[in-house]
């Protein structure tokens, strides 16, 4: 067994970066994703059974600069607005630079796998992405279309603020993202697009978040 493991490691070390990634996808990717999901589910179990906190507003921002004030709005401010006890409910916003300067830096592929695993586990309800990342993840099947979560009246009120993105598995485009700059949440040259993930535990969450953001930007 030990000799077999050494032979496998030596074979992988001899590959260039591209071949190594192809080899990993073929033989180890599914196992890695399963392990990541297991880790996320365990973290969820510990959080909800030991610390007794229920996620209320859980999100990630990738390639978008979020100020401390904006992060406050999307975390503690959300709980306060809806009168949720912070001892019982949690709100968090992770960013793509959270590992900078540590030994836990991840490459793009690792980031994507971890993100998709957390969404699959119901740990991330929304994403704030730049245009390139928005389109890059569109084939992952992780976005809700806006016409699947909002009624016609809400969609009409968002006219001119939505962005069409390719639907999963096809070339057709549908309103999927909300332009946060046009909504008034982002200012200056910063761009950012809000999407809701398939991981939302409550179908009313998108409505509550949109109403809250509008109240904060009006």
């Amino acid at each position: 067994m030990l000799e077999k493991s050494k032979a496998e490691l030596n074979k992988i070390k001899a590959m260039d970066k591209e071949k190594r990634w192809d080899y990993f996808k073929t033989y180890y990717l599914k196992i890695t994703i399963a392990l990541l999901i297991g880790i996320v589910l365990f973290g969820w179990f510990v959080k909800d059974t030991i610390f007794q906190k229920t996620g209320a507003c859980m999100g990630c921002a990738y390639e978008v600069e979020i100020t401390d004030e904006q992060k406050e709005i999307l975390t503690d401010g959300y709980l306060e607005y809806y009168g949720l006890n912070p001892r019982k409910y949690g709100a968090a916003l992770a960013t793509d630079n959270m590992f900078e300067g540590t030994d836990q830096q991840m490459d793009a592929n690792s980031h994507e796998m971890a993100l998709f695993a957390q969404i699959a586990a119901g740990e991330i309800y929304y994403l704030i992405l730049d245009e390139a990342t928005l389109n890059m993840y569109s084939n992952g099947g992780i976005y809700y279309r806006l016409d699947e979560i909002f009624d016609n009246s809400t969609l009409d009120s968002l006219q001119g603020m939505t962005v069409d993105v390719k639907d999963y598995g096809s070339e057709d485009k549908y309103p999927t993202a909300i332009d946060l700059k046009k909504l008034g949440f982002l200012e200056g040259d910063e761009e950012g697009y809000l999407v809701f993930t398939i991981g939302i535990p409550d179908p009313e969450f998108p409505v509550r978040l949109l109403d809250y953001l509008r109240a904060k930007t009006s």
Side-chain angles (χ1 to χ4, degrees), residues 75-86:
T75 53
D76 293 343
Y78 181 91
L79 298 180
E80 183 179 354
Y81 184 81
Y82 284 108
L84 300 174
N85 187 339

Side-chain angles (χ1 to χ4, degrees), residues 38-216:
I39 292 170
V40 171
L41 287 174
F42 178 76
W44 171 83
F45 172 80
V46 171
K47 181 190 73 176
D48 280 5
T49 59
I50 297 178
F51 296 102
Q52 296 295 313
K53 273 195 176 185
T54 300
C57 187
M58 315 298 285
C60 279
Y62 277 76
E63 301 298 333
V64 178
E65 187 70 29
I66 300 295
T67 66
D68 290 341
E69 181 181 359
Q70 290 164 341
K71 189 170 184 178
E72 172 73 17
I73 289 172
L74 288 167
T75 53
D76 293 343
Y78 181 91
L79 298 180
E80 183 179 354
Y81 184 81
Y82 284 108
L84 300 174
N85 187 339
R87 293 183 178 180
K88 295 181 179 180
Y89 294 91
L93 177 64
T95 60
D96 57 350
N97 63 353
M98 64 188 298
F99 296 104
E100 285 183 0
T102 75
D103 294 332
Q104 304 177 49
Q105 291 188 34
M106 298 189 291
D107 61 24
N109 293 316
S110 299
H111 255 137
E112 185 173 319
M113 284 189 294
L115 175 67
F116 283 19
Q118 286 180 289
I119 290 172
E123 289 289 297
I124 296 176
Y125 311 161
Y126 71 91
L127 299 170
I128 298 175
L129 310 169
D130 69 340
E131 185 176 8
T133 310
L134 174 69
N135 292 320
M136 181 175 67
Y137 287 163
S138 64
N139 288 325
I142 59 173
Y143 303 156
Y144 263 121
R145 286 165 36 181
L146 297 181
D147 58 2
E148 294 176 324
I149 52 180
F150 293 132
D151 59 25
N152 290 333
S153 176
T154 303
L155 288 174
D156 289 342
S157 72
L158 289 170
Q159 190 170 10
M161 301 182 193
T162 63
V163 177
D164 291 350
V165 177
K166 284 184 181 180
D167 196 18
Y168 176 60
S170 78
E171 292 298 310
D172 296 328
K173 289 188 174 184
Y174 298 91
T176 303
I178 299 172
D179 189 329
L180 288 177
K181 189 171 182 178
K182 291 182 178 179
L183 189 66
F185 183 71
L186 296 177
E187 299 178 352
D189 297 328
E190 194 66 38
E191 65 169 3
Y193 303 92
L194 171 68
V195 294
F196 296 98
T197 77
I198 59 172
I200 55 175
D202 181 355
E204 292 301 314
F205 170 74
V207 176
R208 288 197 297 270
L209 182 60
L210 178 60
D211 288 346
Y212 170 61
L213 291 178
R214 279 180 155 164
K216 298 299 290 186

